[in-house]
Amino acid sequence: MMSVITRGSGREKRPMITRMHITSWAAVAVACYLTIGCGGLLDVSNPTLIQDSDIANTSGANAQRLNAVNAFNSAVGPVAAGVAVFTDERMYDAPSVAYNNPNKSLDTRDTALYNANNSAYNDPQLEPLTRIMSTTAIAIAGVRANADTSVRGDYLAQLYALRGYAVIQMAENLCPGFPINEVRNGAPYYSAAFSTDSAFRFAIAALDTALSVGRDSSRFINFARVLKARAFADLGQYDSARVASTLVPTDFMYATDVGYSPNVLSNTGFTFFPLAVGNREGGVGLAFASSRDPRVVSVYKMMRYHRTADTVSDSLRDQQKYIPGGASVVVVASGTEARLLEAEAALHDNDPVTWLSTLNALRSGAIAPAMPPLADPGPATRLDTRFKERAFWMYLTGHRLGDMRRLVHRYGRADTTVFAHGTHPLGIVYGKATSIPFNFQNASQYNPHITTGCWPES
Amino acid sequence: MTRRRMVCLAGVVLAVGRLTVPMALAAQQAVAAEAEPRGRTTSELLSRQITVQLDRVTVREAVVLLGKAAKIRVQYQSETLAGIGTPVTLHARNMTLGIAFETVLSGTGLRAVPLAADVVNIQPAVVADSTESGAITGYVVVSRRPLRDASVWLDDSTHAVRTDDEGQYRFIRVAPGTHHVSVRALGFARQVRLVQVSAGRTATVEFALQSSINTLDQVVVTATGEQRVRELGHVVAQINADSLVKSAPISSVAELLQSRVPGLQILTGQGGTVGGTVSLRLRGQTTVNLDAEPIVIVDGVRFKSDNRVQRDYGYVDDDKRGVGETRSPLYDLNPNDIETVEVVKGPSASTLYGPDAANGVIVITTKRGQSGRTEFKWYARPVTNSVPTATVSRVYQAYGHDPTTGQLFNGNCSLIYQYEYQVCVLDSIALVPTLIGNPEYAVFAKNRPMWQAGASVSGGSSAIRYFLSANYDWQVGALQTSRRIAQYLESILGTPSLSGDIRQPNTMRDMGGHASVAFDLTSKTAVTATIGYTQTTRLSSQGDAAVFYGINPGTDTTDAGNLFNPYTFLTVSNEQASRITGALNGVYRATSWLTGTMTVGMDLAPSVVHTVLPRVGSVPDYASMAEDSRRSYVGRTMNVGLTATARPDPLSFRSSIGVQYAYDHTDGVDLNGSRLAPGSSSVQTASQLTSQQVWSEVASLGTYGEEVVGFRDRLFLTGSLRLDGSSSFGDAYHPTPTPKVGISWIASDEPFLKNIPGLRELRFRASYGAASRYPTSGMKLGVQQGYLSLVDGNDETVFDRSQLGNPALRPERTRETEYGADATLWGSAVQVGLTWYRRRTVDQLLLIQNALGLPPQYGNLGLVTAHGFEVTANANLITTSAVRADLGFTYAFHTDKVLSLGSAPDSRGNYGGYAVGYPLASEFGFPIVGVADTVGGGPDGIIFSNEFIRDSVNRFLGVTLPPRTYTFTPSIAFWGGYVRVSTTVDRETGFVLLGSRASGYSGNLCLAAYERDAPVMAQAQCYMNTPTTPGDFTRWRELTATFTIPSRFLRLDLLHLQFSQASFSVQGRNLRLWSQYAGSDPESRIAPATIDPSAGGIPQSRTWSVRFDITP
């Protein structure tokens, strides 16, 4: 439709508003089409952004696997350090004016200060272990899709074994009701709350997968075997534990990589709060320091505040297992542990001869110079001896809390006979926590299945 | 007075006496009377009768003699009459002046045109070039004086011509018919004339403008072209940079903007350094994780203005330019090349500028050439630069000895810390001499020289106009390496004298130029090309910060070895940066009602920063290092627009559509080398070398349409719509229209309000608009980072998914509603503008940390609201024949609040956190509520770290951006306006900062940290690393005295110097600070580009300068 408006003198005819608008909005339509249709103008590149397609190849899959291994290497130190502080492996060394609250709470098992709802709690257990779960989940997808077939099985075995380790460590250390979160299909996956035993079974399933897909790699297969045996022992299924560990050679070791973990567990890593090698902590702790056991090497500790070496007291010593800056590794699973589990199974079968011979075989062959053999301490203290041997063989490796809880839950010991109690040298009464809580506030914020905190006295 | 001075003075007097050029227009206009209708003057002047006798004189001499005979002034351009060699002979008695000029100019193509009652201008005759078209010409005068730079519009198209020195404008090849010709000029009321153009004829339309401070008829640049303020539903702040830089202490764009626009905050870094960080905030902080800087558009082209690269690692990171403080790209713009700056504050106004205009837009128009005679301008501005030591915090140092060995601690004893560890016994406390004037330790040099100079030339004809400028800027920071430190560094280097780079750790040189050429290709097509170039060399030492923060000078020469890291002072960073920004603007007037515009532009900014600690002298190999950071930025802009107008009385229509394309790309690499070869300073000789690539690429394409409907030129409705696509939106994003509507009602033009006493102008306005900020690619796609790590016994490349992607991310969308009113009262004595706005940002992009152990990811979670109030007021307090006093005032209030964070957690940090119910960029913490002096067996008067009791709740401690800002600008002019004194005082209140009060990284500013007898609460406060202190301050920002040389002095003729204008001004900046802030300076922020509120850096420098502006 066309029309005319008259302007000025009336002699001049001008184009219409209507026509102008038709023209204008037609141009808008064209521009809109260009905006949407000219997708090429909006194509950009970014060589610095690694996208999924960039790593959908064998090397990318391996790099993802190595990232999971790295997460494992990073987790072992903090997890083991937390266990050491919570248990009798390490203890205070000073009047402690600068002994900050979270660590003091950890050392004293103070559930009031160190409670599950404490948002300031930095969660040294669940966080690094969840990271193992998330990185292994991502890596497993990458390895399944892109790894070379010659190594795919072993890579998967390693990754599933790492998941088994993470879940076992959660179950041993954390109070029940924790989540096992991870990443699935590029998004967070939040699990239901796990009880301790259900988590061990979850771990065994992962380790079964590892054992089923692994081929000839004794390293990963044996790693999974030891972990599986450990999980069965935690469940009190000692026969299954013995079966799982039987094929593991005594000289087998699965350790963190040199250069990453050592500093975490070294003296350097503990300089922010003062701790010495544990020595009969709380009256029931083991004498890690004063026994001068070659498996727990220590030296006189320079007292932090007095700035002099305490050569009078025989108790305050620095651990030397992990030397600052040295090439120390953390042995997470080993043939030694396999033998110890078999010994425990023998003891459970009331076979003290096999139990003792197994322990003495380790003392003679797994350390140089050989340690003197043990004599049978008699039925009343065999269990103590068995757990003491485990504690010294696996000092500062993150096993101790699981063992102590096992003494309570599987062997019926009162927690006061296992965990330090009474008055802490700071003048504080030891708390009653027998497991480490996770950060409930954080967990419940994201995970709808976590509605109550866990009970560290469990 | 010496003889030499007397000779010089005499020479100046003689030189001034020979000047013949007309007096300065600006000064004349300031005291002008009412305008006189021009037509009557013309006929009277040319009818005047004269008697002359000319014998074989040149045409030039002839017109001068005619002028003398008629007792009038004759103006002409020298080149106009040059080369006309034909001698003129004229003997006349009682001949009219018009006939006399026609006779003399016969055959020259020139004519005499009267400008006023006693002025005639000799100029080319206007001849229509076609029998099918006509021409329009005429003059624009104010108070009988020609007005240059007025915009003359034909039929309200988007294209205007500007008047030349003689006030003349010209449209050629105008279609026959009736046309509207309108004139707009800053400070004058708009006028419109209807003119009939006939084929082959030249129509003359002349304008005598009335001065007015009415702003409604001013013209601003909008996304769709130039528009009158009265048509806009939103507020646009306009800064007339051309006149401001001559009279105010301005050496950068940041200083040009500071204190002149309510709601615009300039966040600066280390004030005492030169070429530091500058960050802009318009109407507060409204985003958490995305860039909060407004976009800057120069001549229609996007100009990278912030320090940051949108690295696609899921976050916005600082670009790397220089050591310590990054140099703001705003320094690449020379304020002397800027004509106007317009500030568009929020989405209610900025919708049409594109997807990242939610932070506001700063529109800069550079200077253009004017037709007329060639005009040269020079300016020079020597500056002295100092750090006012009154604002420097007192730094304490404790001296003590080891309780066990008795060994002295040379200035390394902190009572609380050291006593707690029982390693030090306090012997004495002293003020560190570095900051209090001891020349041996002085780190602040007084009166550092700076020098700025420039020149420009402009001119041209009606067909081609040009502007060229060049400038040179040399600045020296106020920090220096103290003598004592220098001695120590000399011992390290084994040289008797240090290089200037180390002694003077912060200098900057800028050289640049600007060129603009405008020409009419045809009667319908005009093109303007502009290009700006800047080359910068900036030297900075890492020691410039260290010299302030970390030194421990000791008590003798050997104690200088206690410098926390002497090699820091030897590390020098050399930044070489250049920048070319070019724009090609084309206008095509298809018909009298349809105009097309196109802008094509490019912004190129390559730079390299070479930082080196050479392995020379006794510098050990492990300390030596070299780093090369190279950046290459490319920005491209292309805008195409079409605007149609129609005026069916009483309505008016203005329809615009356009397409905008913007491309932004930064490519860079960082090479970091350590352990250099002996004697080397090259990164290539490093035995350990790492590298990193930096890449950012964003392209966006948008289209818009806008309709402005006017009713009787007093009610305007605006509606617009924009649709965008962007590379950052991702494939999953479906473009969503962003609308904008506005209304502007000039109530005072309504008949029923015409006669209200004192009310000259009253306007109500309202607008609503939406804009968005888009996520980075990394936010959408996730981030996987590769790095080397020892795994499986080998150094292996590891890919870590450090951040999960979220393909469903949408842009942050901000919607803003703005209401306001503008009034001019009591003639033009009072002007008031009030603006209230309310802003709502949805889909705020927040980092969801996810449960511990899982990678984080971004989500559209946040909801933030904001509102604010802005006032602009100007009042003429006194106006007499001798004195005029004015007062300017601005006030801005802004507050925002986080209403929701979705599933994202609070970020109650002490570096700019946020939480539901509190403003963005807030400060949170656990304040100390008491002490329990019990450790050590009971009260001992010494507070240890575990003895103070903190509040159990992480509390809101304050907002870190000032919610209230005030600016007072009184000025007074006297002696007919030849002397003008103005000053600016700023006040900002209601905010807190992380102070350098205590033992933070800034060291030892808290005396109670050492004093055993200090109150225990004071000790506890000192013990906290990051106490929050009020940042409120009042600053005497500017003081300027400007002297305009009266024209009668310029008119004197000596030495053939022909100055047409000359002025000089004395300028002071940052003259005084009043603040209870415990740190050094509440305006010196550690990281102004972020919401990190850490402050307390090197104070803002105080400058004094003198500026000379001369127009020959």
Side-chain angles (χ1 to χ4, degrees):
Chain A
M1 186 177 74
M2 300 283 287
S3 60
V4 173
I5 61 169
T6 303
R7 304 179 63 201
S9 64
R11 289 177 297 175
E12 182 191 9
K13 293 180 179 177
R14 282 301 177 98
M16 292 268 303
I17 297 172
T18 308
R19 191 175 76 182
M20 179 187 76
H21 281 192
I22 291 172
T23 306
S24 300
W25 292 110
V28 168
V30 171
C32 290
Y33 171 78
L34 288 173
T35 301
I36 300 167
C38 295
L41 283 174
L42 303 181
D43 289 343
V44 297
S45 59
N46 191 336
T48 63
L49 192 66
I50 302 169
Q51 300 189 42
D52 289 340
S53 57
D54 297 325
I55 57 173
N57 48 53
T58 55
S59 60
N62 190 42
Q64 289 176 306
R65 176 186 71 90
L66 294 171
N67 185 51
V69 177
N70 216 358
F72 162 76
N73 286 337
S74 305
V76 167
V79 168
V83 167
V85 175
F86 190 82
T87 63
D88 56 353
E89 289 186 315
R90 306 198 81 177
M91 57 183 283
Y92 78 99
D93 83 335
S96 72
V97 288
Y99 198 1
N100 57 43
N101 285 339
N103 293 315
K104 181 168 64 181
S105 301
L106 195 63
D107 193 32
T108 60
R109 299 187 289 114
D110 183 354
T111 54
L113 287 173
Y114 189 60
N115 64 69
N117 294 322
N118 183 0
S119 61
Y121 175 37
N122 59 8
D123 208 333
Q125 298 286 319
L126 186 59
E127 180 178 3
L129 295 171
T130 301
R131 180 164 160 71
I132 295 177
M133 297 301 294
S134 63
T135 54
T136 52
I138 293 168
I140 285 170
V143 167
R144 282 193 192 283
N146 302 304
D148 190 90
T149 53
S150 63
V151 296
R152 183 181 300 162
D154 288 332
Y155 283 0
L156 290 173
Q158 183 187 28
L159 293 168
Y160 277 106
L162 295 179
R163 291 166 69 82
Y165 164 80
V167 175
I168 288 172
Q169 209 72 63
M170 288 182 200
E172 286 187 352
N173 301 345
L174 299 172
C175 50
F178 55 85
I180 304 178
N181 301 326
E182 58 178 298
V183 172
R184 291 185 183 177
N185 299 320
Y189 170 79
Y190 292 111
S191 79
F194 274 75
S195 67
T196 303
D197 286 358
S198 64
F200 285 130
R201 287 191 285 273
F202 183 98
I204 289 170
L207 295 164
D208 281 338
T209 304
L211 293 169
S212 67
V213 297
R215 292 183 178 178
D216 58 353
S217 171
S218 59
R219 188 183 180 201
F220 303 143
I221 296 296
N222 287 330
F223 180 34
R225 285 171 176 158
V226 174
L227 289 170
K228 187 178 178 184
R230 179 178 170 183
F232 275 127
D234 282 324
L235 284 170
Q237 300 174 16
Y238 302 104
D239 289 340
S240 299
R242 179 165 44 206
V243 170
S245 64
T246 298
L247 297 177
V248 178
T250 302
D251 61 355
F252 166 75
M253 285 196 306
Y254 191 89
T256 58
D257 283 289
V258 174
Y260 205 104
S261 297
N263 285 335
V264 177
L265 270 181
S266 70
N267 291 331
T268 306
F270 281 106
T271 52
F272 61 91
F273 66 104
L275 285 169
V277 174
N279 200 47
R280 302 184 192 282
E281 184 179 3
V284 296
L286 297 175
F288 289 107
S290 59
S291 64
R292 298 290 196 272
D293 191 293
R295 292 167 296 187
V296 183
V297 182
S298 62
V299 297
Y300 286 119
K301 182 173 176 62
M302 182 74 73
M303 290 191 67
R304 187 174 184 79
Y305 298 104
H306 300 141
R307 305 179 69 240
T308 56
D310 183 2
T311 57
V312 178
S313 166
D314 199 30
S315 59
L316 295 180
R317 299 178 67 85
D318 270 343
Q319 64 84 22
Q320 294 293 290
K321 185 170 185 174
Y322 306 112
I323 303 169
S328 304
V329 299
V330 181
V331 177
V332 175
S334 65
T336 299
E337 184 181 356
R339 300 293 86 79
L340 289 168
L341 289 167
E342 290 163 10
E344 185 172 350
L347 191 61
H348 191 264
D349 292 344
N350 201 19
D351 180 2
V353 175
T354 303
W355 167 74
L356 191 61
S357 64
T358 303
L359 295 183
N360 283 333
L362 290 174
R363 292 170 72 94
S364 63
I367 189 171
M371 297 177 68
L374 293 169
D376 186 350
T381 55
R382 281 175 188 156
L383 190 62
D384 291 338
T385 303
R386 179 256 171 236
F387 275 91
K388 179 184 175 186
E389 283 296 288
R390 269 184 68 90
F392 277 85
W393 278 115
M394 295 187 289
Y395 181 65
L396 297 184
T397 59
H399 286 75
R400 181 62 179 156
L401 181 53
D403 285 353
M404 294 169 74
R405 292 180 70 197
R406 198 142 51 88
L407 277 170
V408 174
H409 295 300
R410 303 297 175 200
Y411 292 98
R413 293 284 180 89
D415 56 5
T416 53
T417 65
V418 177
F419 290 89
H421 64 283
T423 303
H424 191 276
L426 296 178
I428 303 168
V429 176
Y430 276 103
K432 295 181 179 179
T434 57
S435 60
I436 301 174
F438 57 89
N439 188 329
F440 168 71
Q441 188 181 63
N442 177 273
S444 61
Q445 181 174 1
Y446 298 101
N447 190 333
H449 306 297
I450 305 300
T451 55
T452 59
C454 68
W455 302 101
E457 298 172 29
S458 304
Chain B
M1 185 178 289
T2 64
R3 182 178 176 183
R4 183 176 177 183
R5 282 185 179 175
M6 294 177 65
V7 171
C8 290
L9 184 60
V12 170
V13 171
L14 288 172
V16 172
R18 291 179 61 87
L19 298 179
T20 58
V21 177
M23 61 188 296
L25 291 177
Q28 295 255 345
Q29 289 163 10
V31 295
E34 287 293 307
E36 183 177 337
R38 181 163 166 69
R40 194 169 61 224
T41 320
T42 304
S43 57
E44 288 176 0
L45 180 59
L46 295 179
S47 301
R48 190 171 299 177
Q49 292 186 331
I50 60 171
T51 298
V52 293
Q53 276 198 318
L54 307 177
D55 291 304
R56 298 189 63 80
V57 297
T58 65
V59 173
R60 176 177 172 170
E61 291 168 334
V63 297
V64 170
L65 291 171
L66 290 180
K68 286 184 176 178
K71 297 181 180 177
I72 63 170
R73 285 196 297 122
V74 179
Q75 291 184 172
Y76 54 86
Q77 293 182 2
S78 301
E79 59 271 30
T80 304
L81 296 177
I84 303 177
T86 307
V88 175
T89 298
L90 175 64
H91 294 214
R93 176 181 291 272
N94 296 329
M95 176 183 280
T96 64
L97 185 59
I99 293 174
F101 273 119
E102 281 185 16
T103 304
V104 168
L105 298 174
S106 175
T108 64
L110 303 173
R111 66 169 184 160
V113 177
L115 290 183
D118 58 352
V119 181
V120 165
N121 189 53
I122 307 299
Q123 62 188 56
V126 177
V127 179
D129 67 331
S130 166
T131 56
E132 297 179 352
S133 63
I136 303 173
T137 187
Y139 291 85
V140 179
V141 298
V142 173
S143 301
R144 296 178 294 172
R145 302 292 178 190
L147 177 65
R148 59 168 292 173
D149 287 350
S151 298
V152 186
W153 301 69
L154 184 62
D155 293 323
D156 278 342
S157 67
T158 57
H159 175 59
V161 298
R162 291 181 183 257
T163 54
D164 59 19
D165 275 356
E166 285 72 41
Q168 187 179 26
Y169 70 92
R170 188 174 295 110
F171 293 104
I172 59 175
R173 301 188 185 99
V174 179
T178 305
H179 296 272
H180 287 269
V181 180
S182 59
V183 179
R184 304 164 188 172
L186 198 61
F188 299 96
R190 174 177 177 258
Q191 289 193 2
V192 184
R193 297 276 191 276
L194 204 61
V195 59
Q196 185 69 35
V197 176
S198 303
R201 303 294 297 270
T202 297
T204 300
V205 185
E206 299 179 356
F207 297 87
L209 298 188
Q210 301 278 352
S211 65
S212 167
I213 59 171
N214 173 5
T215 58
L216 297 186
D217 286 320
Q218 292 178 13
V219 174
V220 295
V221 178
T222 69
T224 59
E226 292 186 335
Q227 272 186 279
R228 289 182 296 161
V229 169
R230 68 163 53 212
E231 298 175 5
L232 306 177
H234 55 267
V235 66
V236 175
Q238 191 175 47
I239 299 171
N240 187 349
D242 184 33
S243 61
L244 203 54
V245 293
K246 295 175 184 173
S247 59
I250 292 169
S251 59
S252 68
V253 168
E255 292 176 352
L256 178 65
L257 296 172
Q258 192 164 40
S259 311
R260 298 183 220 288
V261 179
L264 172 60
Q265 291 174 324
I266 310 294
L267 305 178
T268 53
Q270 305 285 2
T273 60
V274 295
T277 301
V278 174
S279 198
L280 309 180
R281 290 290 181 279
L282 271 168
R283 290 181 174 170
Q285 177 81 26
T286 53
T287 183
V288 176
N289 288 303
L290 296 179
D291 198 343
E293 299 282 331
I295 61 175
V296 174
I297 294 175
V298 179
D299 295 329
V301 176
R302 287 284 294 269
F303 180 89
K304 178 179 165 53
S305 60
D306 59 28
N307 300 81
R308 299 193 270 184
V309 170
Q310 286 204 321
R311 295 168 64 176
D312 282 319
Y313 296 153
Y315 54 90
V316 183
D317 193 17
D318 282 339
D319 195 355
K320 198 161 191 171
R321 294 183 73 181
V323 170
E325 283 229 319
T326 53
R327 174 178 168 273
S328 170
L330 287 173
Y331 286 103
D332 293 338
L333 288 170
N334 183 0
N336 293 282
D337 292 332
I338 295 174
E339 185 78 33
T340 60
V341 179
E342 281 142 15
V343 180
V344 181
K345 295 181 181 176
S348 58
S350 62
T351 300
L352 295 189
Y353 284 97
D356 50 357
N359 304 322
V361 185
I362 294 177
V363 180
I364 293 175
T365 303
T366 60
K367 289 181 179 175
R368 308 289 169 86
Q370 304 295 330
S371 59
R373 67 183 179 85
T374 302
E375 183 177 82
F376 296 92
K377 291 183 177 179
W378 304 331
Y379 74 89
R381 184 168 179 259
V383 187
T384 66
N385 179 27
S386 306
V387 169
T389 52
T391 61
V392 175
S393 300
R394 300 168 78 84
V395 178
Y396 301 95
Q397 190 62 61
Y399 299 90
H401 66 271
D402 188 305
T404 305
T405 65
Q407 180 185 359
L408 291 176
F409 282 81
N410 291 318
N412 194 24
C413 186
S414 163
L415 177 63
I416 291 177
Y417 287 123
Q418 306 295 339
Y419 187 86
E420 185 169 347
Y421 293 102
Q422 299 183 8
V423 297
C424 181
V425 174
L426 185 68
D427 296 327
S428 63
I429 304 171
L431 277 173
V432 173
T434 51
L435 306 176
I436 56 174
N438 185 326
E440 283 296 301
Y441 301 103
V443 296
F444 294 126
K446 291 184 178 178
N447 302 325
R448 283 294 192 195
M450 302 164 77
W451 183 262
Q452 295 171 329
S456 66
V457 56
S458 65
S461 65
S462 60
I464 298 180
R465 300 164 296 280
Y466 62 90
F467 175 88
L468 296 170
S469 74
N471 62 79
Y472 175 79
D473 186 354
W474 174 56
Q475 300 187 31
V476 179
L479 281 168
Q480 66 179 4
T481 301
S482 72
R483 292 183 200 170
R484 183 58 57 91
I485 296 172
Q487 289 173 8
Y488 181 61
L489 299 180
E490 287 166 0
S491 70
I492 292 176
L493 297 178
T495 176
S497 60
L498 292 176
S499 68
D501 300 348
I502 297 173
R503 284 190 179 279
Q504 212 162 252
N506 182 213
T507 61
M508 184 171 73
R509 277 186 174 81
D510 272 338
M511 288 186 294
H514 177 74
S516 169
V517 180
F519 47 93
D520 296 330
L521 292 177
T522 67
S523 63
K524 296 182 175 180
T525 308
V527 175
T528 302
T530 59
I531 188 167
Y533 174 73
T534 304
Q535 186 178 39
T536 302
T537 300
R538 179 172 177 246
L539 288 174
S540 58
S541 163
Q542 291 185 348
D544 61 359
V547 80
F548 182 67
Y549 286 119
I551 67 164
N552 186 355
T555 54
D556 54 43
T557 53
T558 57
D559 288 341
N562 288 323
L563 293 170
F564 77 103
N565 182 3
Y567 306 120
T568 301
F569 294 85
L570 299 174
T571 306
V572 176
S573 176
N574 186 336
E575 176 183 359
Q576 302 281 340
S578 57
R579 185 160 195 155
I580 299 176
T581 305
L584 191 64
N585 291 279
V587 177
Y588 178 67
R589 294 182 294 276
T591 67
S592 62
W593 57 273
L594 183 64
T595 302
T597 59
M598 186 174 77
T599 299
V600 179
M602 186 170 287
D603 185 18
L604 306 174
S607 67
V608 57
V609 181
H610 182 62
T611 305
V612 63
L613 171 58
R615 190 175 164 190
V616 295
S618 60
V619 173
D621 72 327
Y622 66 81
S624 62
M625 59 79 68
E627 177 180 309
D628 276 345
S629 294
R630 297 174 186 275
R631 296 288 184 275
S632 176
Y633 171 78
V634 177
R636 298 191 195 108
T637 301
M638 189 177 78
N639 301 331
V640 179
L642 204 61
T643 297
T645 58
R647 295 176 167 276
D649 193 50
L651 300 175
S652 65
F653 293 90
R654 185 177 189 274
S655 308
S656 302
I657 58 168
V659 177
Q660 297 177 342
Y661 175 73
Y663 174 82
D664 177 301
H665 173 40
T666 299
D667 185 8
V669 63
D670 294 335
L671 291 174
N672 299 279
S674 59
R675 294 183 180 271
L676 306 183
S680 171
S681 60
S682 169
V683 70
Q684 301 296 338
T685 66
S687 59
Q688 294 177 351
L689 191 64
T690 60
S691 64
Q692 180 187 17
Q693 186 180 17
V694 175
W695 186 280
S696 170
E697 191 175 16
V698 178
S700 59
L701 180 66
T703 182
Y704 63 84
E706 182 181 68
E707 184 71 39
V708 181
V709 180
F711 177 72
R712 297 192 191 286
D713 206 36
R714 59 178 179 254
L715 178 64
F716 297 91
L717 299 173
T718 301
S720 58
L721 202 63
R722 184 177 171 107
L723 193 66
D724 285 294
S726 172
S727 60
S728 293
F729 289 169
D731 296 334
Y733 176 73
H734 299 291
T736 304
T738 48
K740 174 188 156 191
V741 294
I743 183 170
S744 175
W745 178 40
I746 319 301
S748 53
D749 285 358
E750 298 290 352
F752 55 87
L753 288 176
K754 279 276 188 187
N755 298 318
I756 294 181
L759 178 64
R760 175 167 183 160
E761 194 172 63
L762 177 63
R763 177 174 75 129
F764 297 100
R765 51 184 156 77
S767 63
Y768 164 84
S772 55
R773 304 177 192 85
Y774 44 80
T776 65
S777 306
M779 291 178 179
K780 298 182 75 73
L781 300 175
V783 177
Q784 301 192 80
Q785 290 175 298
Y787 60 92
L788 274 180
S789 184
L790 185 68
V791 188
D792 284 355
N794 300 305
D795 278 332
E796 300 278 6
T797 299
V798 170
F799 283 140
D800 180 43
R801 184 174 286 275
S802 58
Q803 181 183 298
L804 298 176
N806 185 351
L809 281 186
R810 303 175 299 277
E812 289 184 0
R813 289 175 59 81
T814 300
R815 303 183 181 97
E816 186 182 67
T817 307
E818 179 185 296
Y819 307 97
D822 305 290
T824 304
L825 307 169
W826 298 297
S828 298
V830 176
Q831 276 187 306
V832 179
L834 307 174
T835 301
W836 182 83
Y837 63 88
R838 188 166 192 85
R839 181 183 286 179
R840 184 180 175 90
T841 300
V842 297
D843 290 340
Q844 188 88 239
L845 284 162
L846 298 173
L847 188 65
I848 308 167
Q849 292 295 340
N850 291 328
L852 291 170
L854 299 179
Q857 64 186 145
Y858 278 90
N860 289 105
L861 297 173
L863 169 59
V864 179
T865 62
H867 67 271
F869 182 63
E870 294 162 355
V871 178
T872 303
N874 291 288
N876 175 218
L877 305 177
I878 303 170
T879 300
T880 68
S881 59
V883 177
R884 178 187 172 103
D886 296 282
L887 175 64
F889 169 72
T890 68
Y891 168 73
F893 168 74
H894 172 91
T895 185
D896 50 64
K897 182 189 286 187
V898 177
L899 290 189
S900 170
L901 293 174
S903 59
D906 287 355
S907 176
R908 289 176 176 255
N910 53 10
Y911 293 101
Y914 51 86
V916 172
Y918 298 101
L920 289 173
S922 286
E923 173 76 1
F924 294 92
F926 297 89
I928 295 176
V929 295
V931 294
D933 187 11
T934 56
V935 174
D940 57 7
I942 300 175
I943 298 305
F944 296 123
S945 58
N946 62 339
E947 288 185 318
F948 56 75
I949 303 167
R950 286 189 169 187
D951 197 330
S952 59
V953 179
N954 192 355
R955 295 193 183 281
F956 169 71
L957 302 177
V959 63
T960 61
L961 287 177
R964 292 183 178 82
T965 59
Y966 310 75
T967 301
F968 303 88
T969 311
S971 65
I972 185 167
F974 42 92
W975 291 341
Y978 291 116
V979 178
R980 186 172 186 274
V981 179
S982 67
T983 190
T984 301
V985 176
D986 282 340
R987 177 162 173 76
E988 299 185 3
T989 63
F991 68 112
V992 297
L993 293 168
L994 288 178
S996 318
R997 181 183 197 124
S999 50
Y1001 94 103
S1002 55
N1004 30 23
L1005 307 182
C1006 194
L1007 182 60
Y1010 309 104
E1011 284 194 325
R1012 187 183 183 126
D1013 299 330
V1016 289
M1017 277 299 286
Q1019 292 183 40
Q1021 294 287 356
C1022 282
Y1023 209 113
M1024 288 183 69
N1025 283 337
T1026 54
T1028 300
T1029 62
D1032 297 4
F1033 71 90
T1034 300
R1035 173 159 253 147
W1036 187 6
R1037 180 76 66 192
E1038 295 178 356
L1039 173 65
T1040 303
T1042 304
F1043 306 89
T1044 303
I1045 309 297
S1047 57
R1048 59 180 176 274
F1049 296 121
L1050 300 177
R1051 220 182 298 160
L1052 298 176
D1053 193 12
L1054 180 68
L1055 301 176
H1056 301 287
L1057 292 176
Q1058 298 184 345
F1059 295 157
S1060 60
Q1061 294 180 39
S1063 65
F1064 75 92
S1065 59
V1066 180
Q1067 308 160 337
R1069 186 172 189 83
N1070 295 332
L1071 301 178
R1072 184 79 189 270
L1073 174 71
W1074 295 270
S1075 176
Q1076 292 185 335
Y1077 175 60
S1080 58
D1081 191 321
E1083 283 196 292
S1084 294
R1085 296 181 178 235
I1086 302 300
T1090 71
I1091 54 177
D1092 181 346
S1094 303
I1098 301 167
Q1100 303 288 308
S1101 58
R1102 174 190 295 159
T1103 61
W1104 281 104
S1105 56
V1106 178
R1107 176 169 170 131
F1108 302 89
D1109 283 271
I1110 297 170
T1111 303

